[in-house]
Amino acid sequence: MTDASSFKALVLNQQDGKTVAELTTLKTADLPSGDVLIAVDFSSLNYKDGLAVTGKGKIVRRFPLVPGIDLAGTVLESASSAYQPGDRVVLTGWGVGESYWGGYAQRASVKADWLVPLPDGLDSHNAMAIGTAGFTAMLCVLALEQAGVTPEGAKPVLVTGASGGVGSVAVALLARLGYRVAAVTGRPENETFLRELGAVEFIARETMSQPCRPLETQLWGGVVDTVGGRVLARAVAEADYGAAVAACGLAGGVDLPTTVMPFILRGVKLLGVDSVMCPSEPRRLAWARLSRDLPAATLERLTQVVPLADVPRLAEAILAGQVRGRIVINPNA
Ligand code: NDP
């Protein structure tokens, strides 16, 4: 690829204090410097992309910026001995799509250290059907496993925000691994979708959002929480003695209205999960597990593919809690 080569990109700018997203044409020379130039096959839409593209989250500090917090594609040029042209790679996190140009373009220039070789068994499309959300779901499952939660446990594992990106992949992963999965959703119309992914019990978001005592009846052997707030507080109050709660999200708020009692009297373990700065070794391990534990047919069921032009509309929709499952972005469509 030469500097004259042009490519399609979604670019964020600021006009009158507002974030504006524009589909435009860039040249390779416009890209920030990086070790590796990638032909992007697919990116995906995550909650954080919603915040970036709409400007509601104030997470983009430098404009212009190509958003898109993840990507999968093929190496075109590499100044790093770790990667050769033709290698298939996946990238999530590290501030890409926030502080650095990201995946909503046909080309990306990135640091070699941010990349993970695409594991055997995954193609670019499936890697972005997983994307940041699915990678985070896997980190949550790994955190529960490390805390001793097993499929043989007497009580089910609860997943909150179940129809969302992280939630739906967590449901599918846990069910595939043999856990009994209970799903919290505010959209009863998604119960069939969630049942197909493997959920066997359903709890209304409204029920989970009611104020509760710090200790309630013990119902859950483990929890993957993507929403925070009162829902997380109730999940903690209903966690079984010694259970682990993997908390990764705040779609329902940043507060946690509970006390120390569940942690002291029931030994509940609250495990914070961060995908952005996750070090390289556990990152590769999580991708290897994703390729092993998530069948392509399951990924197909929870995914829709859209072109770059649809991103601004869907960015609003994901913040409004209206997106179901995973959205893969095809910059080449
Ligand atoms: P989605 O919007 O796809 O999913 C969030 C889901 O939460 C919705 O689908 C909805 O599910 C539920 N929900 C929406 N609004 C509310 C509300 N007000 N109260 C309670 N539940 C609500 O987002 P993602 O799955 O991409 O991300 C989920 C969260 O995880 C976000 O906060 C995101 O920032 C965070 N995250 C964190 C990561 C990390 O590294 N820690 C990485 C990736 C995401 P339903 O309709 O079924 O109730």
Side-chain angles (χ1 to χ4, degrees):
M1 176 144 195
T2 67
D3 280 358
S5 303
S6 56
F7 61 90
K8 226 182 339 171
L10 189 78
V11 176
L12 300 182
N13 270 298
Q14 279 228 306
Q15 280 171 18
D16 304 327
K18 286 196 176 141
T19 301
V20 180
E22 191 192 6
L23 203 51
T24 185
T25 301
L26 297 177
K27 291 204 160 75
T28 315
D30 298 328
L31 286 167
S33 63
D35 311 323
V36 184
L37 178 67
I38 296 170
V40 179
D41 297 327
F42 296 101
S43 182
S44 83
L45 183 82
N46 298 273
Y47 192 86
K48 204 182 253 178
D49 295 312
L51 295 173
V53 172
T54 60
K56 289 182 178 154
K58 307 271 178 251
I59 61 167
V60 177
R61 304 270 174 219
R62 268 186 276 164
F63 296 90
L65 180 117
V66 173
I69 65 170
D70 50 29
L71 62 90
T74 308
V75 172
L76 291 173
E77 295 172 10
S78 173
S80 157
S81 59
Y83 294 97
Q84 312 302 323
D87 288 352
R88 315 302 298 268
V89 290
V90 58
L91 192 168
T92 69
W94 301 117
V96 168
E98 301 178 70
S99 308
Y100 307 99
W101 285 21
Y104 291 172
Q106 291 175 308
R107 297 288 182 269
S109 169
V110 301
K111 288 190 185 161
D113 289 350
W114 296 339
L115 296 169
V116 171
L118 200 62
D120 289 344
L122 282 183
D123 60 21
S124 299
H125 174 272
N126 287 348
M128 282 299 104
I130 294 167
T132 304
F135 174 64
T136 305
M138 186 78 243
L139 292 181
C140 290
V141 171
L142 289 169
L144 295 188
E145 287 179 355
Q146 279 154 17
V149 180
T150 67
E152 291 74 36
K155 293 183 176 160
V157 171
L158 185 73
V159 177
T160 70
S163 358
V166 182
S168 59
V169 180
V171 167
L173 262 175
L174 288 162
R176 175 80 181 175
L177 292 167
Y179 291 89
R180 208 144 45 89
V181 182
V184 179
T185 180
R187 289 176 282 173
E189 68 273 20
N190 286 343
E191 282 189 17
T192 305
F193 165 74
L194 292 167
R195 204 177 289 282
E196 283 171 4
L197 295 180
V200 292
E201 283 181 42
F202 298 92
I203 298 100
R205 188 202 298 170
E206 199 186 338
T207 307
M208 282 301 289
S209 304
Q210 297 304 314
C212 67
R213 295 169 296 182
L215 299 173
E216 296 277 355
T217 305
Q218 296 167 61
L219 298 175
W220 317 119
V223 178
V224 173
D225 176 67
T226 73
V227 304
R230 278 193 187 162
V231 172
L232 174 57
R234 180 169 282 272
V236 166
E238 293 178 348
D240 200 10
Y241 186 88
V245 177
C248 69
L250 43 74
V254 293
D255 294 336
L256 180 55
T258 184
T259 70
V260 292
M261 300 313 264
F263 310 108
I264 295 172
L265 295 182
R266 290 197 181 150
V268 172
K269 296 181 269 289
L270 182 59
L271 312 168
V273 170
D274 169 57
S275 65
V276 177
M277 304 306 286
C278 172
S280 294
E281 219 25 62
R283 199 175 271 273
R284 284 173 190 239
L285 176 76
W287 277 105
R289 280 286 304 269
L290 283 159
S291 112
R292 190 193 84 182
D293 294 340
L294 263 183
T298 305
L299 287 171
E300 203 64 48
R301 188 170 289 144
L302 55 79
T303 306
Q304 53 173 308
V305 185
V306 301
L308 276 179
D310 285 5
V311 167
R313 174 178 63 81
L314 289 166
E316 296 283 354
I318 198 166
L319 296 188
Q322 291 165 354
V323 163
R324 188 180 90 172
R326 296 280 300 133
I327 299 208
V328 170
I329 312 294
N330 182 357
N332 305 299

